């Protein structure tokens, strides 16, 4: 996309938006029936205090995590070891980033999924899609830090320092949670280390206020295709999770992370864990910025139901539901099936 075009499509460059442009207006059957202001809240979403509950009752905490990942698909963590000051600083760095001059941001604009750092609007398919989503997104790799940090923005000036520390800390937290999940499932310690969690992406969504949220979506409904996600929301409502056929709003809890198991956890756990469908709706008055940290398998690693969980083992969940596949093949199927989780997983079912 040409630089001028890139500057025009990014919603963070728009000002005084009074009406929703036609290309952002979804047809009636795809509009959000529940908006941020009307959707009921997700009231049973567990909030785990990692500090006190782990020291009081480690087994109970692990069981709560497993139950949350089995039934609801996600849970929140507090007292998780990432400092509040670092969370606040990182969020403000990203808010500042999105308010930088259009010309600077355009230098990162790309729809190439292989680009180390990419800023885009709506989806990577902007040029072909019929309706655009009301968001800008900035994504880049983070791990190992020394391989990528030199490719990151130099504005705001503290970007590399703050986002670097944040990525290291959130990775530690997610690895800790994966350790608890493997313990709870009964698969070997360290199972998720190495290739299965090798790639780390930070993916920041930014949505400006939308004059009519009933017409638009900030992000399509989807399941995260990765291994696991830690979502850090700002204080503006927008995220909704599908539970029993109903869209429920996830109320942002200050300094919490929402942990969302990805589709690879569903496969590795042989369907014991689920991966929730979620989407983002827009907000009438406020801009919303959220930071997703994704752990993703390397392209070549083989993914399959853990041996310890298939028939014949002590923690058996039954016969394997999936054959082994590489993450590259999975991701190809996922994008080839318009990011529909069930159809993509269906390609690998036994
Ligand atoms: C995602 C996602 C939700 C949000 O990036 O996969 O679901 O609230 N984000 O931004
Ligand atoms: Ni998601």
């Amino acid at each position: 996309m040409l630089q001028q075009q890139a500057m025009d499509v990014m919603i963070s460059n728009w000002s005084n938006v009074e009406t929703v442009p036609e290309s952002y207006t979804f047809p009636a059957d795809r509009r959000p029936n529940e908006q941020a202001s009307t959707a009921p809240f997700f009231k049973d979403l567990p909030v785990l205090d990692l500090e006190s509950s782990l020291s009081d009752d480690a087994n109970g905490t692990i069981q709560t995590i497993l139950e949350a990942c089995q039934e609801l698909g996600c849970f929140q963590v507090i007292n998780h070891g990432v400092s509040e000051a670092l969370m606040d600083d990182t969020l403000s760095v990203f808010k500042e980033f999105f308010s930088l001059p259009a010309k600077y941001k355009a230098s990162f604009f790309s729809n190439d999924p292989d680009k180390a750092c990419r800023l885009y609007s709506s989806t990577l398919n902007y040029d072909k899609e019929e309706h655009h989503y009301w968001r800008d997104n900035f994504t880049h790799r983070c791990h190992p830090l020394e391989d990528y940090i030199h490719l990151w923005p130099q504005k705001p000036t503290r970007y590399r320092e703050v986002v670097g520390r944040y990525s290291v800390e959130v990775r530690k937290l997610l690895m800790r949670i994966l350790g608890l999940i493997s313990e709870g499932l009964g698969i070997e310690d360290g199972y998720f280390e190495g290739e299965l969690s090798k790639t780390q992406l930070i993916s920041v969504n930014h949505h400006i206020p939308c004059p009519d949220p009933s017409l638009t979506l900030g992000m399509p409904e989807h399941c995260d295709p990765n291994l696991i996600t830690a979502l850090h929301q700002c204080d503006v409502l927008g995220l909704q999770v599908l539970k029993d056929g109903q869209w429920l709003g996830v109320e942002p809890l200050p300094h919490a992370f929402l942990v969302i198991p990805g589709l690879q956890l569903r496969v590795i756990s042989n369907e014991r864990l689920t991966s929730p469908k979620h989407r983002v709706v827009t907000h009438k008055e406020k801009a919303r910025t959220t930071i997703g940290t994704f752990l993703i398998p390397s392209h070549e690693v083989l993914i399959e139901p853990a041996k310890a969980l298939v028939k014949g083992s002590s923690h058996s969940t039954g016969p394997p539901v999936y054959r082994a596949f590489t993450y590259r093949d999975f991701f190809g199927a996922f994008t080839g099936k318009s990011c529909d989780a069930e159809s993509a997983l269906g390609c690998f079912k036994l």
Side-chain angles (χ1 to χ4, degrees), residues 135 137 203 205 207 219 222 224 229 231 233 238-239 260 278-280 288 290-292 294:
R135 73 150 177 178
N137 177 278
S203 166
N205 280 332
H207 318 265
M219 220 186 153
H222 67 283
D224 291 354
T229 302
L231 189 72
Q233 303 193 71
L239 178 68
I260 308 176
H278 51 287
R279 69 178 184 187
V280 178
R288 181 172 185 271
T290 57
I291 310 172
F294 303 154

Side-chain angles (χ1 to χ4, degrees), residues 111-114 118 120 123-125 128 222-226 263-264 299 326-345 347-348:
N111 281 337
D112 174 0
D114 293 325
R118 57 177 192 266
Y120 62 94
T123 73
L124 291 176
N125 203 26
K128 298 204 187 92
H222 67 283
C223 298
D224 291 354
N226 56 6
L263 292 171
Q264 307 314 308
H299 279 319
T326 61
Y327 189 69
R328 183 194 301 285
D329 286 349
F330 175 81
F331 203 72
F334 187 69
T335 47
K337 303 276 184 191
S338 313
C339 302
D340 180 68
E342 297 312 319
S343 328
L345 288 172
C347 300
F348 307 99

Side-chain angles (χ1 to χ4, degrees), residues 214-228:
S214 73
L215 304 175
T216 55
L217 278 169
M219 220 186 153
E221 64 174 69
H222 67 283
C223 298
D224 291 354
N226 56 6
L227 182 66
I228 195 163

Side-chain angles (χ1 to χ4, degrees), residues 253-266:
L253 191 64
H255 302 114
F257 285 97
L258 177 73
V259 179
I260 308 176
L263 292 171
Q264 307 314 308
L265 263 184
R266 182 169 152 189

